[in-house]
Each structure stands twice: as structure tokens, then as C-alpha cells.
């Protein structure tokens, strides 16, 4: 993955230049509704720091940021009442993963049975 692009759409959301439907936030994390939901619940969880993808985040983010991100998942799952019926978390990465927005984000999908994990093309 190339260097972090500060003009990517999630960086603009973090700077308040583009609106979002926030469901959760703290010092290190923002979670908001996906603009093109693929399930009744489709949330994007992003770190506030400039990380391109999951690998970059896991290498460069501080322990505090990584713990905050991980803990936020538990908080969001509780807020959205996904605990009982479950959910799916996806981090698309790079070319094979078809990542479109080059700021690390975790998709949280739920609210219905989600089918098999991979639908190839
Ligand atoms: P990915 O393909 O994993 O990079 O996913 C990018 C996701 O960002 C897609 O599911 C888009 O629908 C979503 N998305 C793009 N722009 C926005 C936006 N302005 N607000 C919320 N979600 C967005």
C-alpha cells in the first residue's frame, strides 16, 4: 500500500469536511454507517490516526490506539445489539481485497443471516 493519502474520503470525514452518521466515537476511534449498506447493519469502524490498512495499523499504531480500537468493537457490538445473533467483521486490504478507501476500516455487518463468507466474483 502506498503512503497515506490525507485527502481520502475517511480523512475528510475525520476532519468534519464530509458528514457522517456516527454511531460511536472516542479519542482514537470513529464508527459510522456505511453510505451503501450491504446488510441491515453496516458500520465502518476507523482509527482516527493515519493508517492505510489493517497491516499498516497493526505495525505502526500505538498500543493505546490498538487497544482502543479493539475495545471499541465490543462497545459497538453492544450498542447495536449484535451480540445475540452475531455479525461479520471484514477488513478489505489491497488489490486482492478490493479495498477502495485507503484509510483502515473494519466493516461490521449484521441484522440478517450473512451467507457464506466469500462470494467469488
Ligand atoms: P472498502 O471497499 O473496504 O474500501 O469499503 C469502502 C466502504 O466505504 C464502502 O462500503 C462504501 O460504501 C463506503 N463509503 C464510501 N464513502 C462513504 C461515505 N462518505 N460515508 C460512508 N461510507 C462510505
Amino acid at each position: 500500500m502506498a503512503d497515506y493519502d490525507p485527502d481520502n474520503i475517511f480523512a475528510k470525514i475525520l476532519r468534519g469536511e464530509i458528514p457522517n452518521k456516527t454511531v460511536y466515537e472516542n479519542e482514537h476511534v470513529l464508527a459510522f454507517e456505511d453510505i451503501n449498506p450491504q446488510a441491515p447493519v453496516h458500520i465502518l469502524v476507523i482509527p482516527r490516526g493515519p493508517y492505510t490498512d489493517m497491516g499498516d495499523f497493526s505495525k505502526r499504531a500505538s498500543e493505546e490506539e490498538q487497544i482502543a480500537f479493539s475495545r471499541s468493537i465490543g462497545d459497538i457490538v453492544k450498542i447495536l445489539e449484535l451480540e445475540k445473533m452475531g455479525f461479520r467483521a471484514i477488513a478489505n486490504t489491497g488489490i486482492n481485497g478490493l479495498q477502495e478507501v485507503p484509510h483502515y476500516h473494519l466493516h461490521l455487518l449484521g441484522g440478517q443471516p450473512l451467507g457464506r463468507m466469500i462470494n467469488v466474483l
Side-chain angles (χ1 to χ4, degrees), residues 9-10 13 18-21 32-38 42 44 90-93 97-103 105-107 109:
I9 200 148
F10 294 169
I13 285 176
I18 292 176
N20 75 91
K21 291 188 178 169
F32 54 92
E33 293 179 9
D34 195 292
I35 204 166
N36 183 22
Q38 303 297 307
H42 187 170
L44 301 170
I90 298 172
N92 294 322
T93 304
L98 291 179
Q99 180 179 358
E100 291 170 14
V101 180
H103 180 112
H105 50 283
L106 196 63
H107 296 255
L109 297 141

Side-chain angles (χ1 to χ4, degrees), residues 11-23:
K12 291 179 180 175
I13 285 176
L14 285 166
R15 289 196 296 268
E17 295 166 11
I18 292 176
N20 75 91
K21 291 188 178 169
T22 299
V23 297

Side-chain angles (χ1 to χ4, degrees), residues 7-8 19-20 22 41 43 52 62 65 68 96 99 109-110 112 116 118:
D7 287 327
N8 78 75
N20 75 91
T22 299
V41 177
I43 302 300
T52 55
S62 68
E65 289 174 296
N96 280 358
Q99 180 179 358
L109 297 141
Q112 69 175 37
R116 293 199 176 272
I118 296 178

Side-chain angles (χ1 to χ4, degrees), residues 46-84:
I46 68 173
R48 290 192 185 276
Y51 304 105
T52 55
D53 58 27
M54 178 182 259
D56 186 35
F57 181 73
S58 68
K59 277 194 288 241
R60 294 198 304 110
S62 68
E63 289 184 14
E64 185 177 323
E65 289 174 296
Q66 301 210 31
I67 290 168
F69 194 86
S70 181
R71 293 257 190 259
S72 74
I73 306 303
D75 292 343
I76 295 161
V77 163
K78 191 160 192 183
I79 289 166
L80 298 177
E81 300 181 341
L82 294 172
E83 280 171 320
K84 187 172 172 215

